[in-house]
Amino acid sequence: MEYNMVPISSEDREAVIDIFNHYIENSFAAYPERKVPYEFFDLFLRNTAGYPTVAAKDENKNVLGFGMLHPHLRCLPWREPPR
């Protein structure tokens, strides 16, 4: 399979949130407890402003995965250090 790594853009909103919600529902990773709305993508963009983002896209421009860097996690599960 051929794929390209490109910066995340606003056109990736639904695909990125759909992937994120998949892992909220199907994994034990430290994500929010409930699915997030598509508007949550705006939080991703704000939190990663000035930092690298990447979307892996196939030859049809379907988002296969994504990644991003940010200064620190601002979601509820990470507001306090572990005890």
Side-chain angles (χ1 to χ4, degrees), residues 49-68:
Y51 291 86
T53 64
V54 64
K57 295 186 177 186
D58 67 14
E59 54 274 347
N60 296 317
K61 298 188 179 183
N62 297 309
V63 177
L64 306 173
F66 69 95
M68 57 190 69

Side-chain angles (χ1 to χ4, degrees), residues 3 9 14 31 35 41 45 50-51 62 64 67 75 83:
Y3 62 90
S9 71
E14 289 186 16
Y31 293 118
K35 289 174 61 173
F41 184 80
L45 292 184
Y51 291 86
N62 297 309
L64 306 173
C75 295
R83 296 178 184 176

Side-chain angles (χ1 to χ4, degrees), residues 14-83:
E14 289 186 16
V16 166
I17 295 302
D18 288 345
I19 292 168
F20 191 70
N21 281 333
H22 169 81
Y23 286 100
I24 288 172
E25 292 186 309
N26 298 290
S27 76
F28 295 106
Y31 293 118
E33 292 182 15
R34 295 190 177 100
K35 289 174 61 173
V36 298
Y38 291 120
E39 291 79 17
F40 194 79
F41 184 80
D42 298 327
L43 179 66
F44 278 164
L45 292 184
R46 278 195 310 272
N47 288 345
T48 61
Y51 291 86
T53 64
V54 64
K57 295 186 177 186
D58 67 14
E59 54 274 347
N60 296 317
K61 298 188 179 183
N62 297 309
V63 177
L64 306 173
F66 69 95
M68 57 190 69
L69 294 178
H70 44 80
H72 59 87
L73 300 171
R74 296 180 178 141
C75 295
L76 284 175
W78 305 289
R79 284 200 178 155
E80 295 180 19
R83 296 178 184 176

